[in-house]
Amino acid sequence: MTVRVRFAPSPTGMFHVGGARSALQNWIYAKQQGGVFVLRIEDTDVARNKPEWTEGILSALDWIGISRGSYEGPYFQSANAGEHRAAAARLYESGRAYYCDCTREDVQARTGSQYQGYDGYHRDLGLGPGPGHALRFRTPDEGATVVVDLIRGEPTFENKLIEDFVIARGDGSPVFLLANVVDDMTMGITHVIRAEEHLPNTPKQQLLWEALGVKPPIWAHVPVVVNEKRQKLSKRRDKVALEAYRDEGYLAGAMRNYLMLLGWAPSGDREIVPWSVIEDEFRLEEVNLSSAFFDEKKLRAFNGEYIRALPVAEFIDACQPWLAGTGTIAPPPWQPEEFDADAFAAVAPLAQTRIAVLSEIVPNVDFLFLASPLMDEAAWTKTMKDGSADLLDAAIAAFDALESWDAESLKSTLEAVGADRGLKLGKTQAPVRVAVTGRTIGLPLFESLEVLGRERTLTRMRAARVRLV
Ligand code: GLU
């Protein structure tokens, strides 16, 4: 039997990192089993769906390594509406479902103040279809539903505790529970790997599989992803959109490596490993039962390591969207014609060791491409002290007299200027750095000045000196 798994997101918002993790787990499982990965867009919640969310899912999956064309689909749940209705009709005709027109208030009035679920009132009343008549599944009175879950063993649910749940609304439209089952059935899904939040749906869904006469799939419910307060990641509170991480300059390789570590670890105390190792070693059965902490700080550190591991040429390529301001990323402060690829290439290795996400490249190199630096006024005030004017005068004169404009000469020259005034290099550098780059921190100063060039460096130092008068 060929293993067939599916990833079935609903296009109701940005693509959640938890969803990306489930997608990767499904992807790897299919690959390991020589199976098929199916993508199904569950777009039946018309009020909440938007086509751009679907496009967002496809492009985010593509970015993370589940590329278009390499899986089956995308299928759209809405295209199967006929099948969903036919299944509801079959369940009704076979007596496995019945119509009911009770409101919640009706049930409450009969059963007491607290609504504890539907009381089965219409089970044997023989109500037929009609406007406002919901179709309910007749759950067994006895026995238990045992689901086979690769991560959780065999969770068992007493049937008598499962209410006669709705499978089609009063307007005849089938609900998610049924549509999801019918699609899995139609698509020949053998393994349903999804988030733990769907576990309560699972006994109901398994009963539907059985009632429709098809062997249920094997399930795997992966624990939820939580924030540092152990709250389920929420799009209102937390940064959850995969696209947001992509646009900030996380590398897809770092992101997918990190996502796979949520609730699982490769052998040998390693965390940063090639994707091929994860594909070999990952075992769905080993996924931890406790919720997984999505640690943005750790992800950042991971990303920094991935950035540092890139060959410089690839690093330069990877920075291009941020340097050019393409796509959804905020444009850099310089004009496209001010950008100088050679100057960038000269400082790229210095920047590569210092940034953790690619978008940070912009503030590190903007001084190279702007006519005058973007001055951080707080940095100016903090740095420019009484002796700064004198220091700048001496540094300007000494730099101006330099024969060779290279980092080493610049360094020894400024060191000497500082030494004459009893200053260490760090203190001597600070006003020069602020004058030239507008910031107190950045790339190594002397290499920066070498690339910036004599004329521009001196112009900026003189402008700062004028400001100090
Ligand atoms: N559309 C559902 C969701 O996004 C999928 C549930 C499932 O995987 O069965 O939560």
Side-chain angles (χ1 to χ4, degrees), residues 50-249:
K50 284 196 196 143
E52 58 264 39
W53 297 135
T54 297
E55 185 43 40
I57 292 169
L58 298 181
S59 78
L61 285 174
D62 199 63
W63 176 68
I64 202 87
I66 301 180
S67 47
R68 295 175 209 239
S70 67
Y71 49 78
E72 195 179 303
Y75 295 115
F76 290 86
Q77 185 156 68
S78 54
N80 293 342
E83 308 264 0
H84 307 153
R85 283 178 188 263
R90 275 208 320 278
L91 290 168
Y92 174 61
E93 281 149 20
S94 65
R96 295 305 307 270
Y98 61 90
Y99 284 100
C100 156
D101 64 356
C102 297
T103 61
R104 207 181 161 86
E105 290 70 35
D106 294 338
V107 180
Q108 213 156 315
R110 283 196 300 270
T111 58
S113 57
Q114 275 273 309
Y115 183 82
Q116 304 260 338
Y118 182 62
D119 59 353
Y121 181 77
H122 274 96
R123 272 195 151 201
D124 304 307
L125 294 187
L127 184 69
H133 299 188
L135 190 60
R136 287 185 179 271
F137 184 72
R138 190 189 298 275
T139 60
D141 296 324
E142 290 172 351
T145 296
V146 182
V147 309
V148 177
D149 187 302
L150 290 178
I151 301 175
R152 284 154 209 276
E154 299 194 345
T156 300
F157 302 84
E158 294 287 331
N159 289 335
K160 64 172 184 291
L161 299 179
I162 306 174
E163 67 169 344
D164 285 352
F165 54 93
V166 171
I167 56 175
R169 302 179 189 89
D171 62 3
S173 60
V175 303
F176 158 75
L177 273 184
L178 178 64
N180 181 262
V181 164
V182 171
D183 288 351
D184 282 346
M185 216 172 258
T186 318
M187 294 170 193
I189 299 304
T190 58
H191 292 71
V192 171
I193 305 163
R194 62 182 178 182
E196 179 183 27
E197 67 205 33
H198 288 290
L199 187 59
N201 293 329
T202 307
K204 297 176 181 171
Q205 293 196 305
Q206 180 155 312
L207 286 169
L208 289 174
W209 280 84
E210 289 162 359
L212 289 164
V214 184
K215 183 170 168 285
I218 293 182
W219 312 86
H221 288 91
V222 296
V224 289
V225 181
V226 295
N227 65 17
E228 71 278 2
K229 296 192 183 119
R230 311 300 299 171
Q231 298 160 315
K232 199 177 138 202
L233 280 195
S234 112
K235 64 178 170 202
R236 256 161 246 102
R237 194 180 40 221
D238 307 300
K239 190 162 100 194
V240 299
L242 193 65
E243 294 95 320
Y245 289 95
R246 177 189 63 194
D247 296 349
E248 208 180 317

Side-chain angles (χ1 to χ4, degrees), residues 448-468:
S448 299
L449 300 186
E450 181 181 323
V451 177
L452 188 65
R454 182 191 297 262
E455 204 177 314
R456 286 197 293 168
T457 302
L458 289 173
T459 304
R460 290 176 191 198
M461 290 171 70
R462 288 189 180 116
R465 176 64 188 85
V466 169
R467 220 187 128 172
L468 284 172

